[in-house]
Amino acid sequence: MLFRSPSGKAAAFDYREMAPGRSTPTMYLDAQGNINRSLTASGYLAPGVPGTVRGFALAHRRFGRLPWKDVVTPAAELAAAGFTISASLARGLNAELTSATGMKLYPASVAAYGRPSGEPWAEGDRLVLPDLAKSLSAIAAGGPDVFYNGWIADRIAGDMAAHGGLIDKRDLAAYRAKERTPIVSTFLGHEIVSMPPPSSGGVAVAEILNILEALEIQKTARLDRKSTRLNS
């Protein structure tokens, strides 16, 4: 997360997922030593220790104005009441629910995100997420420790253990989000604030803009998208 106050103060919050403590250098390799991409894309070996809840809590602690409960509760209420889904969300859900590598592999996910009637989702349907509402309500009331040390952590660790996953309660309890110094660069007189390492995006953006500025991109005519075509 990148933060910038009205006064210009900038901060970066790093809450990337982290590898479980029991990870190994060869856990994604096949018998020939090649990377098995299917293991990194789905299944119980794919996820890292989640950091979002700790990250949001750190950002709130540093710069939040409203009480934590007041910030999180509306999300819990939305999940409990449900919301009308768009055509694009309906397509995405239907694709995930029927894909051989998607939610179809996980009955609990199908139960949570599938249409109660069992039919495909359609634009205008209402999606209600009671399990998410329960989790968010607990986080709103008890803070991030509910997720990393409480019953939610118990459920995550238990499910991982039952299906060959590596994340355990020690991983969850040990997770810490970090505040980092943003990368600050300039481009044609504008200040650019971007995410620092371990994210690669901020470094790449700064380098690209430096190159474009050196090439005097501002003197280049804008292309008309309707009259240009990319060669395949």
Side-chain angles (χ1 to χ4, degrees):
M1 180 192 297
L2 280 173
F3 168 87
R4 186 180 185 278
S5 72
S7 66
K9 178 178 176 56
F13 296 98
D14 173 7
Y15 47 90
R16 294 175 69 120
E17 75 282 359
M18 295 185 69
R22 292 187 292 148
S23 300
T24 68
T26 59
M27 60 189 284
Y28 294 130
L29 302 183
D30 61 20
Q32 287 72 44
N34 300 312
I35 297 175
N36 182 347
R37 295 293 179 183
S38 66
L39 295 177
T40 70
S42 63
Y44 281 82
L45 291 180
V49 182
T52 301
V53 181
R54 283 272 186 237
F56 283 7
L58 176 59
H60 176 266
R61 186 164 65 250
R62 288 282 287 111
F63 297 107
R65 297 180 180 179
L66 297 175
W68 170 262
K69 186 174 182 179
D70 292 354
V71 174
V72 181
T73 295
E77 293 174 342
L78 179 62
F83 54 92
T84 302
I85 65 174
S86 64
S88 61
L89 180 54
R91 288 194 298 271
L93 283 170
N94 291 334
E96 277 291 326
L97 289 163
T98 57
S99 170
T101 58
M103 291 186 195
K104 186 177 180 180
L105 294 171
Y106 311 104
S109 295
V110 173
Y113 290 95
R115 194 175 180 184
S117 65
E119 299 175 351
W121 289 102
E123 180 180 10
D125 287 340
R126 178 168 290 273
L127 177 61
V128 180
L129 301 169
D131 289 339
L132 179 60
K134 179 181 178 182
S135 296
L136 288 173
S137 294
I139 293 168
D145 281 346
V146 174
F147 186 93
Y148 292 94
N149 296 292
W151 67 266
I152 298 177
D154 292 338
R155 294 288 297 274
I156 294 172
D159 194 50
M160 282 281 164
H163 296 91
L166 299 180
I167 298 173
D168 58 28
K169 290 193 67 176
R170 291 172 297 179
D171 295 317
L172 292 161
Y175 186 92
R176 297 292 183 270
K178 297 178 181 179
E179 183 175 352
R180 301 190 185 277
T181 302
I183 289 177
V184 180
S185 57
T186 61
F187 177 67
L188 300 178
H190 299 283
E191 183 181 73
I192 309 298
V193 180
S194 53
M195 198 71 189
S199 172
S200 62
V203 174
V205 167
E207 291 287 356
I208 290 169
L209 293 180
N210 285 341
I211 292 169
L212 292 176
E213 188 173 58
L215 294 173
E216 299 185 309
I217 186 67
Q218 71 275 19
K219 297 181 180 179
T220 303
R222 186 186 299 270
L223 294 176
D224 182 354
R225 293 179 63 186
K226 294 182 180 179
S227 63
T228 60
R229 182 176 62 185
L230 293 176
N231 293 323
S232 59

